[in-house]
Every structure is written in C-alpha cells, then in structure tokens.
Amino acid sequence: MKLSVIGCGYLGAVHAAAMASIGHEVVGIDVDRRKIDALSKGEAPFFEPGLQEILTEGIESGRLSFTTDMSAAAGAKVHFIGVGTPQQKDSYAADLTYVHAAVDGLLPYLSEGDIVAGKSTVPVGTAAALSEIVSPTGATLVWNPEFLREGWAVKDTIDPDRLVAGVPEGPEGERAAEVLREVYHPAIAKGTPFLIMDRATAELVKVSANAFLATKISFINAMAEIAEVTGADVTKLSEAIGHDERIGRQFLKSGIGFGGGCLPKDIRAFSARAEELGRGESVAFLRQIDEINLRRRERAVQLVVEGLGGSVFKKNVTVLGAAFKPHSDDIRDSPALDVAVRLHGLGAWVTVTDPAAIENARRVHPQLNYVEDRDEALRGADAVIVVTEWDEYRRELDPAHAASLTSGQIIVDGRNTLDADAWRTAGWTYLGMGRP
C-alpha cells in the first residue's frame, strides 16, 4: 500500500522507515530541507537503535523516499500526521501549529476515500476539529496514536504491544478501521491487539498513558524524599511493593526523574486541556507530579554538594550522561543536562560524557566541557555523578578502575543503578537517591 508520512522528526522518520520495512511504499515529507537531504541519502538524523539499518534498506529497495514536496502525498491511501506538538512558550498548552499546517498543506492532494491518520500527541478534541477540515475532501480523519519508547522505537513500531484506532461512527469508520488493519497486518497477524474506539478516546489513551507513567515515576520519587529523612531505603521499598501484582515493578525505580520530548510536555498539556474543559481539578495532581520530578534534579545536585563538603566551587565534577535516557541522543528536557548546568552554575568545572548525545548537548549548552571517552572524562574528577543509565556506566564501570582515574572518590548515583556495596568496598563514598 502507498503511504505518506507528514513530518520526519523522531516519530515520522521511524514510522516511515518501519512501514517500508514491512513492505509498504512510503514517502516521507517534511519542510526541513537538511533533514530530508540526510534521510534521502539513508542517513539517520538522530540516534535510534535499528533505524539506520531499516532506513538504508528502505532507500535501496525503492520502497522509501523523502521529499519537501507535499504533492508527493497524492495517490497515497493513508496519510500519517507525525509532526511535533511542543509546549507553547507562554503556557502549558500544546502548540498545534505544526499539526494544522500539515493538514492544511495536505488538503489539495487528498482524494475520495483517503485516510488521514493522526499520530501526533494532541489534546482531546483535536481530531474532531480536524475532521471538519478534512471531511469536505472525501477523506476520513482517524486517530492512531503512537506508543514509542525512545531506544526501542523501531521495535515498538514494527511489533507494538497494542494498536489503537480512533474512528468515526458508521460505515465510514468501519472502512477506515479495515484499511488500518491492512497497514498493520504483520503485527496483527502475530497477535498484537487492534483496539477500535472513537477518536476522543484514542486521543485520551495516549495522554492518559503518559500521565500514568509519569505518576508512577514521581510516586516512587516522592517516597525517596520520605526515605531520605527517615533513613529508609527506597530501592528496597520499591522492590517490596512491586511484588504486588496490582502495582507491578515497572517505573518504580527512583532517581532524578523523567525528561525527554514526551512526558514533561504531555502532562502539562493534559493539565492545560483539562482546565479548558472545566475539569482542571480532575488532573490537578499532575502539577504535583511535575514538581516532584523537578525537585529530584535539585536533590541530585545537593548530593554532589554535600559529598564535596558543602561547595562545588572550582571542583572537578564528571557527569556520566547527557541524553535523557540510554540508547538515545535526545537531550530534550534532559534531567542529566539540567543537573550538569546547575552544577556549572554553582561554580563547578563540569565535564560531561555520553556515548551518543555529546554533539546535541554541545549545541545547546556550549558552556560545559565535553569528552567522548568515558575514562578520559573521569580523569582528575573530584566527584562523579551517574545521570543516564548507559551500560558503560552502570554495568561496565569497575569501581577500582574508576578510582585509579579520579582525584576524589565521591560517587552520586542519580539513577540508583550501581551496586552500592561494591563501590563502598572499593573505597568510594556512595550517595544514592533515597538511600541511606
């Protein structure tokens, strides 16, 4: 089937390449000429495991192409909208400028029976408004949210844990659902649940899922705050409550909190939309979730300060990590970089290292010192803080080896990911988040 993907950022580029990899003919369209030129050459514009391989294969097979010309969408059966919905500069609300621009640009090239499938994360009610714009062309507007995890996005697109289709009522919606079944046939054939619902519910599925995940993360971080003043160990607490099947273990690991381009801005946009609907009180807790999340970054900085005797001024601090999570070069709202910048602001000489995100970090925060090699970054450090859970920091870094490189032996575990006993045995002062 011929598909178009409007917007070739993180979501769109992965979706386009993944759809081509399962046999569809796909054209990706974006207004950013540099991005399109890179993609057309088979060059992934960001780090995502597995993307380079399917991108190259798609280009070489002829099933995948990229352009800045919206007219290339003509003739596609399904048009996926995968543009960004950033937070507005003057409020918590989502900025839908790019969504509306994508739909408006697509309108002249839509035909009777086409499907316009929104994948961007949007406030509930967006699909209803866009449907009024799309319907006069004879096309059908549906909402097909994405549930990608950065670092696992290729797998999550090709082999998702569920597929959601928000469609209009009646024959039009039934036909649209059948077309999406055909698009995602390989995954559905393997047993992936295909959930059909109305468009408003589909929009809410995405934002409520993100809100719930953010709530679990901030809940355990709130418990870490209590643990810190009582002498309790939040890691043992989370293990104990995680055995309860009603609660589960996932997302119950305390640390410096969440970041990235989704959870922070999505929970803020959800709060803003609830206020617009007159139900702000229903999700008022999300403001506290956001506040807890930001407090943990400050607590990590405090631990470094405490470890160095009350001041980091002119101290060498090595920050292990820049991306907001491992297996990604995404630095959007990165807790890791936030911690690094705060330490720099307190007068520390901050050295940042990361396997994938250094160039992105340097463009945004050139005031920091960046070193690609982990061991070189550790050399001469008075204190070290782990802020991104790359394997080379949490599994492959030997405490004795690290001690042979650093000037001091202060380690702050911003992700509670290290073996505290092993580091202490090697002579390090180990400081965890919510741990005695």
Side-chain angles (χ1 to χ4, degrees):
M1 185 184 299
K2 182 176 179 180
L3 312 174
S4 75
V5 178
I6 316 304
C8 296
Y10 181 83
L11 164 60
V14 171
H15 191 71
M19 291 299 98
S21 76
I22 62 175
H24 297 297
E25 178 187 350
V26 186
V27 58
I29 304 171
D30 198 288
V31 297
D32 187 333
R33 167 58 68 182
R34 290 179 59 187
K35 186 186 300 179
I36 290 300
D37 287 346
L39 287 166
S40 296
K41 296 174 184 175
E43 300 172 359
F46 49 83
F47 177 76
E48 178 63 36
L51 175 59
Q52 184 62 63
E53 291 79 2
I54 62 170
L55 181 62
T56 300
E57 192 275 334
I59 296 291
E60 292 179 349
S61 70
R63 293 192 302 272
L64 179 62
S65 63
F66 295 93
T67 181
T68 58
D69 185 0
M70 187 67 85
S71 68
K77 184 65 175 177
V78 182
H79 309 271
F80 290 100
I81 306 297
V83 297
T85 54
Q87 183 178 327
Q88 292 182 17
K89 293 181 180 179
D90 57 351
S91 77
Y92 275 3
D95 184 350
L96 300 180
T97 301
Y98 303 116
V99 172
H100 285 283
V103 172
D104 289 344
L106 182 61
L107 288 177
Y109 308 105
L110 293 176
S111 299
E112 182 81 26
D114 282 3
I115 308 297
V116 178
K119 296 200 74 67
S120 304
T121 303
V122 296
V124 61
T126 302
L130 292 177
S131 180
E132 295 182 6
I133 300 171
V134 169
S135 292
T137 68
T140 300
L141 190 287
V142 304
W143 217 259
N144 173 222
E146 55 84 15
F147 302 99
L148 308 184
R149 300 166 296 166
E150 291 199 33
W152 300 91
V154 172
K155 177 185 180 300
D156 288 346
T157 304
I158 296 173
D159 189 21
D161 54 14
R162 80 281 206 192
L163 290 160
V164 170
V167 302
E169 293 183 355
E172 181 185 16
E174 293 172 4
R175 184 186 63 80
E178 286 307 308
V179 172
L180 288 180
R181 283 184 185 277
E182 185 179 347
V183 170
Y184 295 117
H185 173 73
I188 294 172
K190 288 188 290 185
T192 297
F194 184 70
L195 309 174
I196 302 173
M197 58 196 67
D198 61 88
R199 290 177 295 206
T201 303
E203 291 168 314
L204 278 173
V205 167
K206 172 62 177 179
V207 294
S208 59
N210 280 355
F212 187 75
L213 296 179
T215 300
K216 288 192 74 172
I217 296 168
S218 283
F219 170 81
I220 200 62
N221 280 334
M223 295 305 99
E225 293 181 330
I226 302 299
E228 286 167 353
V229 297
T230 60
D233 188 332
V234 74
T235 62
K236 296 185 183 301
L237 182 154
S238 62
E239 179 184 6
I241 65 175
H243 280 287
D244 188 327
E245 292 183 356
R246 297 169 300 174
I247 297 173
R249 297 185 180 186
Q250 285 190 311
F251 291 88
L252 279 184
K253 189 173 183 180
S254 61
I256 60 172
F258 56 81
C262 293
L263 288 191
K265 63 99 174 172
D266 287 351
I267 64 171
R268 293 165 192 160
F270 195 8
S271 295
R273 181 57 176 152
E275 291 284 354
E276 293 172 355
L277 294 170
R279 288 292 182 268
E281 69 277 7
S282 298
V283 294
F285 68 93
L286 291 179
R287 298 295 177 98
Q288 293 180 307
I289 294 304
D290 199 14
E291 291 169 3
I292 292 168
N293 189 55
L294 295 176
R295 282 204 303 268
R296 299 315 288 164
R297 303 179 185 189
E298 180 57 32
R299 178 55 181 159
V301 172
Q302 290 174 355
L303 285 175
V304 177
V305 173
E306 291 170 9
L308 289 172
S311 175
V312 297
F313 186 68
K314 291 189 177 180
K315 296 290 188 178
N316 292 313
V317 180
T318 295
V319 177
L320 298 180
F324 87 96
K325 66 179 294 186
H327 311 297
S328 173
D329 64 354
D330 194 342
I331 62 165
R332 290 176 294 176
D333 204 355
S334 169
L337 272 182
D338 192 1
V339 167
V341 170
R342 291 180 191 223
L343 288 166
H344 175 80
L346 293 174
W349 288 321
V350 178
T351 296
V352 178
T353 187
D354 189 283
I358 285 180
E359 289 308 312
N360 288 343
R362 181 183 282 119
R363 281 194 294 270
V364 178
H365 296 293
Q367 72 273 30
L368 304 176
N369 180 44
Y370 297 95
V371 176
E372 291 188 7
D373 183 76
R374 181 200 66 192
D375 286 2
E376 186 60 31
L378 289 169
R379 201 173 305 279
D382 296 306
V384 179
I385 179 168
V386 178
V387 284
T388 309
E389 297 169 279
W390 289 98
D391 281 348
E392 64 181 85
Y393 307 148
R394 68 189 186 102
R395 291 180 178 173
E396 300 168 9
L397 181 56
D398 177 70
H401 174 67
S404 72
L405 299 170
T406 59
S407 296
Q409 289 183 253
I410 309 295
I411 183 83
V412 175
D413 189 356
R415 294 294 183 181
N416 282 344
T417 193
L418 303 177
D419 184 335
D421 291 339
W423 283 82
R424 285 172 175 148
T425 299
W428 287 79
T429 297
Y430 171 93
L431 302 171
M433 305 287 288
R435 306 181 73 178

